[in-house]
Amino acid sequence: QLCALNPLQSDRQSVLASLLLPLVSIPASCETGFTVVSLALELTQRIRQCRRPQAPVAVSRWGSVPVPAVLRCPRMSEQGKGSTSASAAAPAPGSDTYKGWLFKWTNYLKGYQRRWFVLSNGLLSYYRTQAEMAHTCRGTINLATAHIDTEDACNIVLSSGGRTYHLKASTEVERQRWVTALELAKAKAIRMMNDQSDDSGDEEPASQSDRSEIQGTLKILVSKLDDLSTCNDLIAKHGAALQRSLSELEGLKVPVEGGEKIKAVNERATLFRITSNAMINACRDFLDLAETHSRRWQRALQYEREQRTHLEETIEQLAKQHNSLERAWRAAPTLVSTSLSAPTTNKEEASDEDEDTEFFDAMEDSPAFITVTATENSHNLSGAKLQPRRQRRTHVPDKPNYSLNLWSIMKNCIGKELSKIPMPVNFNEPLSMLQRLTEDLEYHELLDKAARCDSSLEQMCLVAAFSISSYSTTVHRTAKPFNPLLGETYELDRREEFGYRSLCEQVSHHPPAAAHHVISQRGWTLWQEITIASKFRGKYLSIMPLGAIHLQFHSSGNQYVWRKVTSTVHNIIVGKLWIDQSGDIEIVNHRTKETCQLKFSPYSYFSRDVPRKVTGVVADSGGQAHYILSGTWDDKIESAKIIQSSRGGSGSEGKQKTVYQTLSPKLLWKKYPLPENAENMYYFSALALTLNEQEDGVGLTDSRLRPDQKLMEEGRWDEANSEKQRLEEKQRAVRRRREAEASDALDEGKEYEGYQPLWFHQRRDSVTGETNFVYKGGYWEAKERKDWSMCPNIF
């Protein structure tokens, strides 16, 4: 009857039947105990089989009693084995690693070059040869944030942040294999990124805690095994006494029926003792296996630690050698022109990828041009800064002179997402990422002037200058802003002074994302959703803003869309920290189809260009150039109107250059000077000094009210670190509670909505087709009512 059980019946029924077979269904009419003892020995053998190393014990639950799977119906066990082996034999959907040759676009002189590509763990890396895999990687792109595009039969275009790879396969079949592998790797990388811990320090220190946890678990197992041994001894003792009593009863003269009952009880007592002995032996074998595997894991962990330490020492040594080479190069006689202008405060290392310029690929269709200035006057688009009506603070407490071993912190972050690493406030500046995002509005008057332009091309010039101006605050700002807590907000109401008001909210934690909305009474609205992806690569830190910026002018309906370039922090290990901006920005007016192509040139020792150079061309919908933009992202931008263009000779890259004859350039934007004593106030601009100033009536989740940030601004860094840890643990507790609620809802078959932002909601953009968070209203009305009862308690 047991073997005839339906294999689809519940686990509980099969376990019940398996238990009842040896313990209940013993025939009471057995003439001798031989049959019972044989059954008991067979049961013991089966129990011992379940604890053999090659046949791990599968455990089901009936009530609170663990039952070895070997006690289930044999027919069901065989079916389970069959399904398990079939599942194990099934191939995984896509390999974790994919390698092969592809042709990569380098530059116009060399065109496509053959490179060896390796796809592994969501990262696509390339090398000149297979042998280079042992020592030199020429470049890596993270597929979790990459866009994959296919142009024609054999081409693949990968873009992430400011980096673009133009690849070509030898055949269309090979191209399709790579696209499939890339798409699978991207999906897996996104899943892994979403499954990672939150950004404020959920990654606990693994080395010591893991070892302590293993040792603690083993101690608990040993203690429980001792308890089981004690119980087993008691069972054996009382069982022996019971059997002696039963034997004495058998010697007495009792009716035949009573004698048979005594024999049955005696046999069952023997079976019970054999089973308990088998159980304790199985537990002892389990503990032995646990101790063996624990030692194996500890040896593997120790080996990985030694390898990591060796890698850290190698990287630090290479960085020091690199720094020595830099100093030697500066001291050597130079062969380049003496008019070369280098940064006064920093230097960038020579490219460690390809000699073909591989850190940021050049934009294929970026126009090569030469400008010739004519003598006529042209438009003047420059504007003057408006003076605020309200007196705001002009200083913050000086930054304490705390020593900080940056390498001791950063060496544990190599290759990781920086926002997921717990950082002390010593590495921060007393502003949140929401406040840094609001700093983009420092040169808002460019948009005020653009709103009054009759010409959409002149308007494009001012929008381009505005997009560049947001980087001017980063030239000295090497400290990290505070990672906002989920639900944290920041408002900036400047209607009285400048006619606009701004609201930011941290809308997501996985990945960390902030939504921003600004509306101005002077004719424009700006909104954006920005996700910051950051990776530490040993010598430098890459910060890649993901997401689009939208700008709409009310009177004309012109809507501009662009994305930010990649920021790179250099000299993480040795030397003075400095920041560079590199990549391309394309600004599109989606109403008129006019464009502006901006190129941020990465700094190089061997370039004759001025550092931090930005160039751009403003063109109409037909591609005809009308304005040339030039300047630097840390100082000023000028525009020059094109009055004539012609094809010139070939340049150094073999590409025919276009010669533009322009009118005299006019100033579009000029950076404001820093406040006095800025070097002791985190190099804050005049606007940044006011961002954390306390104001009445702001929302309860506003960054100004964040205690750890305020304590750091006041110079109380030890207290700030303690408060930061408290906030992070509070945030983790809320996250765990949400995960438990989601799990309970799943068990009950209900839908779980999850976290929803308070002031923003997701909508599909009618222009770009992308889904992003946009302002849904209600914040400023709540402020007028002085009603913040809907705000969560995050501080």
Side-chain angles (χ1 to χ4, degrees), residues 40 51 108 130 221 234 244 246 275 330 348 369 374 376 408 420 426 442 505 523 539 544 608 639 679 753 755 773 788:
R51 56 186 172 88
Y108 284 98
Q130 292 173 260
L221 287 174
L234 290 173
R244 284 195 302 272
L246 291 172
T275 305
R330 294 192 198 105
E348 179 191 9
F369 57 85
E376 296 182 32
S408 65
K420 300 181 184 300
N426 310 51
E442 179 157 15
E505 180 179 6
K539 290 188 300 182
M544 298 154 285
R608 290 184 173 86
S639 70
E679 64 276 7
E753 185 180 28
Y755 177 79
F773 283 93
W788 299 113

Side-chain angles (χ1 to χ4, degrees), residues 369-653:
F369 57 85
I370 302 172
T371 57
V372 179
T373 305
T375 56
E376 296 182 32
N377 293 325
S378 66
H379 59 290
N380 186 349
L381 303 179
S382 62
K385 181 181 179 183
L386 300 177
Q387 295 300 320
R389 301 174 185 173
R390 175 180 168 181
Q391 186 67 30
R392 299 190 180 273
R393 72 180 186 182
T394 58
H395 70 277
V396 295
D398 286 0
K399 177 181 178 180
N401 188 21
Y402 285 174
S403 60
L404 175 63
N405 186 352
L406 187 58
W407 173 244
S408 65
I409 300 172
M410 298 298 292
K411 67 181 181 181
N412 295 319
C413 311
I414 297 175
K416 293 184 179 180
E417 171 64 48
L418 191 63
S419 62
K420 300 181 184 300
I421 306 300
M423 290 285 183
V425 299
N426 310 51
F427 195 41
N428 287 14
E429 63 178 16
L431 290 178
S432 74
M433 181 59 72
L434 303 181
Q435 291 166 311
R436 285 295 298 267
L437 198 58
T438 307
E439 276 194 78
D440 288 357
L441 301 173
E442 179 157 15
Y443 298 94
H444 60 88
E445 67 272 10
L446 292 169
L447 301 184
D448 297 342
K449 191 169 185 66
R452 300 192 298 268
C453 283
D454 295 328
S455 167
S456 59
L457 291 171
E458 291 184 5
Q459 189 178 74
M460 175 69 85
C461 292
L462 288 164
V463 171
F466 174 80
S467 70
I468 298 168
S469 68
S470 63
Y471 296 99
S472 63
T473 61
T474 67
V475 65
H476 299 298
R477 301 271 288 280
T478 55
K480 176 180 177 290
F482 279 77
N483 294 325
L485 302 172
L486 184 61
E488 187 173 334
T489 60
Y490 181 72
E491 69 158 76
L492 188 67
D493 193 342
R494 292 291 192 266
R495 283 183 304 171
E496 293 183 4
E497 298 99 325
F498 305 122
Y500 72 85
R501 58 185 181 184
S502 162
L503 176 67
C504 291
E505 180 179 6
Q506 188 76 1
V507 296
S508 171
H509 228 26
H510 298 295
H516 186 201
H517 182 268
V518 192
I519 186 167
S520 172
Q521 297 173 338
R522 298 176 183 173
W524 54 270
T525 300
L526 181 145
W527 66 97
Q528 59 181 319
E529 178 193 332
I530 297 295
T531 300
I532 301 297
S534 53
K535 289 289 185 181
F536 175 53
R537 298 300 186 188
K539 290 188 300 182
Y540 60 88
L541 170 68
S542 294
I543 303 169
M544 298 154 285
L546 310 175
I549 304 170
H550 300 255
L551 172 66
Q552 187 174 44
F553 292 98
H554 303 164
S555 59
S556 64
N558 290 336
Q559 182 170 337
Y560 298 86
V561 179
W562 69 93
R563 300 175 189 272
K564 294 195 172 187
V565 296
T566 297
S567 301
T568 307
V569 184
H570 294 273
N571 288 352
I572 293 292
I573 303 174
V574 178
K576 185 174 182 179
L577 293 175
W578 63 280
I579 292 181
D580 197 19
Q581 316 290 345
S582 304
D584 304 313
I585 293 180
E586 181 183 44
I587 307 175
V588 180
N589 182 342
H590 283 273
R591 189 183 73 85
T592 65
K593 306 305 179 185
E594 296 163 347
T595 62
C596 176
Q597 302 286 342
L598 294 174
K599 182 173 183 61
F600 288 65
S601 300
Y603 178 75
S604 172
Y605 291 128
F606 309 104
S607 174
R608 290 184 173 86
D609 290 332
V610 296
R612 311 182 185 98
K613 179 181 178 182
V614 180
T615 56
V617 176
V618 176
D620 58 25
S621 57
Q624 180 66 36
H626 289 264
Y627 287 94
I628 295 295
L629 305 180
S630 61
T632 58
W633 53 262
D634 67 324
D635 185 21
K636 64 180 180 180
I637 293 293
E638 297 176 331
S639 70
K641 185 175 179 61
I642 299 171
I643 58 176
Q644 187 177 351
S645 63
S646 60
R647 307 298 292 181
S650 297
S652 59
E653 296 182 351

